[in-house]
């Protein structure tokens, strides 16, 4: 490895560190804006994928943060299971924000996806953990278990509907809606509220029994 190549690696790591610092601030601003817009975090931390076996997993480049509407009632299971007792899971849609720093295959620039999913919550085994990133990532990307329909020609707005396999594999998901925008659209606190939570409020995938 030449000295110049080594210098490029050092610069790249410095840029990555700065990017992570900015993302950390963004997540804090998202939680602050969520409260003002009537949402509550479903998880205190963002979800991410890690892997020692695959080099792609050495780099955190995809992050998911989950929310629900504060106005929805707390969920209570109907079969007597205690797994959801004393939790903040609500009997309503699950909303989320996916941040993808390396959308190389399709758009070749960092993206943000705002989504709303409908679930049969009785299929949830527990509350999401950090390593459950794939449960919420794959419905936005896994064509084998979902069908996708573009809603508008001039917007990256889609519906995703689960197959029987998808419902079983991804915690009882029924269907959802998601919109993809450039990450650079979010640059300050007003844009966090507008580009994320106003879009969440405008997503509508239909009405389903989430219990």
């Amino acid at each position: 490895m030449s000295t110049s190549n080594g210098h490029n690696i050092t610069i790249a790591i410095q840029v990555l560190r700065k990017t992570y610092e900015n993302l950390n601030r963004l997540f804090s601003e998202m939680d602050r804006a969520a409260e003002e817009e009537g949402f509550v975090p479903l998880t205190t931390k963002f979800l991410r994928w890690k892997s020692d076996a695959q080099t792609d997993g050495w780099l955190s480049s995809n992050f998911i943060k989950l929310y629900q509407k504060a106005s929805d009632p707390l969920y209570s299971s109907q079969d007597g299971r205690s797994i959801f007792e004393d939790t903040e899971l609500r009997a309503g849609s699950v909303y989320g924000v996916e941040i993808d720093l390396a959308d190389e295959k399709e758009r070749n620039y960092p993206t943000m996806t705002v989504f709303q999913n409908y679930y049969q919550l009785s299929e949830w085994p527990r509350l999401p953990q950090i390593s459950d990133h794939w449960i919420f990532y794959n419905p936005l990307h896994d064509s084998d278990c979902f069908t996708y329909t573009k809603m508008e020609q001039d917007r990256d707005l889609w519906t995703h509907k689960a197959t029987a396999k998808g419902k079983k594999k991804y915690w009882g998901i029924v269907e959802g809606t998601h919109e993809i925008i450039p990450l650079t659209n979010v640059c300050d606190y007003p844009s966090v509220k507008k580009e994320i939570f106003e879009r969440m409020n405008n997503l509508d995938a239909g009405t389903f029994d989430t219990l």
Side-chain angles (χ1 to χ4, degrees):
M1 180 183 297
S2 67
T3 302
S4 60
N5 285 339
H7 179 67
N8 289 339
I9 292 173
T10 298
I11 295 298
I13 293 298
Q14 291 173 353
V15 171
L16 186 59
R17 284 174 176 163
K18 187 64 176 179
T19 300
Y20 285 162
E21 290 175 8
N22 290 335
L23 281 177
N24 192 42
R25 285 195 290 269
L26 174 58
F27 289 129
S28 296
E29 293 288 80
M30 283 167 52
D31 283 351
R32 183 162 70 98
E35 183 177 359
E36 294 182 9
E37 297 298 318
F39 290 86
V40 291
L42 180 56
T43 54
T44 56
K45 297 182 179 180
F46 57 80
L47 313 185
R48 64 187 186 276
W49 178 61
K50 291 283 190 180
S51 173
D52 289 338
Q54 301 179 46
T55 55
D56 283 347
W58 297 3
L59 169 68
S60 292
S61 61
N62 191 283
F63 311 82
I64 293 176
K65 193 75 164 62
L66 302 176
Y67 296 90
Q68 288 190 291
K69 285 194 172 180
S71 58
D72 286 332
L74 291 177
Y75 174 78
S76 60
S77 63
Q78 298 176 352
D79 58 5
R81 291 187 302 172
S82 62
I83 193 167
F84 290 121
E85 289 182 1
D86 300 322
T87 71
E88 294 301 313
L89 180 65
R90 297 176 182 274
S93 298
V94 175
Y95 298 82
V97 181
E98 178 205 46
I99 295 175
D100 191 351
L101 300 179
D103 189 354
E104 301 174 59
K105 295 182 180 179
E106 298 182 42
R107 296 167 183 83
N108 204 31
Y109 57 81
T111 59
M112 173 177 286
T113 301
V114 179
F115 62 88
Q116 174 192 27
N117 289 339
Y118 289 89
Y119 290 88
Q120 293 177 328
L121 292 177
S122 58
E123 298 297 315
W124 280 36
R126 51 180 162 72
L127 289 180
Q129 301 174 352
I130 292 175
S131 59
D132 291 322
H133 173 270
W134 65 279
I135 293 291
F136 302 92
Y137 171 87
N138 285 352
L140 305 175
H141 305 275
D142 186 0
S143 59
D144 288 339
C145 292
F146 295 84
T147 57
Y148 302 91
T149 303
K150 191 169 186 179
M151 299 294 290
E152 299 181 18
Q153 285 300 115
D154 58 344
R155 290 172 63 192
D156 224 342
L157 178 65
W158 301 77
T159 61
H160 48 277
K161 187 176 181 64
T163 63
K165 178 182 177 182
K167 292 176 184 177
K168 182 177 180 180
K169 186 174 182 180
Y170 297 103
W171 290 16
I173 187 173
V174 178
E175 72 168 23
T177 308
H178 65 273
E179 184 168 10
I180 306 167
I181 62 173
L183 179 59
T184 51
N185 282 15
V186 179
C187 56
D188 54 21
Y189 188 67
S191 64
V192 169
K193 297 179 70 172
K194 179 180 179 180
E195 297 291 347
I196 297 176
F197 294 101
E198 284 188 19
R199 289 180 190 275
M200 279 188 185
N201 275 315
N202 290 331
L203 292 177
D204 183 11
T207 302
F208 290 88
D209 180 8
T210 59
L211 301 180

